[in-house]
Amino acid sequence: MRLEHHQFRDMDLVGGDPALDLVNTVTARDTLPRDWLDDYPALLRWARKAALVPAAELQALERLAAAPAAKSAAALARCKQLREALCAALYALAGGGEPAAAELEILDQARLSASRAARLVSRGGRLRTQWSAQRSGLDLIAHVATAHAIELLKDARPERLRVCDGRDCGWVFVDSSKSGRRRWCDMATCGNAAKARRFNQRHKE
């Protein structure tokens, strides 16, 4: 898988859930995969664009990532391991199958790690779990993404999980359309590209 520097945009967040958008930080999984998380700062850029954690926590992560580099590299590797296990599980579910035991084990270990770092807080009379750079360290983004992933998988409707039909894509998304027949991650990109290919093919014929 080739590393590629990338500036994240709103159009990169089409999964319908932060956990899916994390999986989609690899593009062209169906052809020549390119990994947009080429370093820890890229993970920070993605988390900022996805509004995954508060700005103050991202600033704390930037300070933690300043030195030593080996720690941020290790944290990035753990986040990518989570991403790939989640991707494999989602591909299996979208195809009508079951996630492999090895993938579930990775997700379960990520869940336990996130749970140990979580703190219970009260907001407006309601209890919720919260993560911080102080408790999670450089794994904060992975911990929050794990929480989203577990909730998604627990409540998943497999018939609504999709892998984009577009070429050079392979992104995953939740089909929230009324008809339940959405084929592409984004009509403006993969959908239009598919239409253009069909038009060119008819023109050649």
Side-chain angles (χ1 to χ4, degrees):
M1 187 182 300
R2 179 164 61 89
L3 294 175
E4 180 178 271
H5 185 75
H6 184 73
Q7 291 297 331
F8 291 98
R9 302 161 293 175
D10 290 340
M11 63 187 297
D12 298 325
L13 307 174
V14 297
D17 187 277
L20 300 184
D21 290 328
L22 176 62
V23 170
N24 296 342
T25 57
V26 173
T27 191
R29 286 185 182 271
D30 59 327
T31 51
L32 298 173
R34 305 191 307 277
D35 185 350
W36 287 342
L37 298 182
D38 56 335
D39 55 17
Y40 195 85
L43 181 62
L44 292 174
R45 290 196 305 274
W46 172 79
R48 182 175 289 107
K49 176 57 68 174
L52 190 70
V53 297
E57 296 296 343
L58 284 174
Q59 292 172 1
L61 287 178
E62 288 174 345
R63 292 191 293 270
L64 288 174
K71 288 189 176 180
S72 60
L76 178 62
R78 288 190 291 271
C79 191
K80 288 187 179 186
Q81 183 184 45
L82 164 69
R83 179 189 67 186
E84 295 310 301
L86 179 58
C87 179
L90 290 167
Y91 269 43
L93 290 170
E98 295 288 343
E103 295 148 10
L104 292 178
E105 177 62 21
I106 291 172
L107 293 173
D108 198 36
Q109 290 303 312
R111 177 188 64 83
L112 291 172
S113 177
S115 180
R116 286 191 293 267
R119 185 166 64 99
L120 196 63
V121 297
S122 177
R123 294 286 186 273
R126 300 184 64 182
L127 297 181
R128 65 185 182 91
T129 50
Q130 184 180 78
W131 286 267
S132 66
Q134 182 181 12
R135 293 174 65 92
S136 293
L138 291 165
D139 289 317
L140 173 61
I141 294 170
H143 286 169
V144 177
T146 296
H148 282 280
I150 297 303
E151 287 303 309
L152 175 71
L153 293 174
K154 281 168 54 180
D155 300 329
R157 295 173 58 191
E159 73 277 7
R160 287 286 181 166
L161 288 175
R162 298 280 188 273
V163 178
C164 182
D165 278 351
R167 179 174 168 76
D168 295 324
C169 185
W171 279 8
V172 290
F173 61 91
V174 175
D175 182 0
S176 57
S177 66
K178 284 187 177 181
S179 65
R181 298 171 62 185
R182 180 177 157 195
R183 295 177 54 194
W184 298 290
C185 62
D186 187 5
M187 187 63 203
T189 53
C190 288
N192 284 342
K195 285 187 174 182
R197 282 195 298 271
R198 289 198 300 270
F199 175 84
N200 291 335
Q201 184 62 35
R202 288 196 298 269
H203 183 71
K204 289 178 181 178
E205 293 173 353

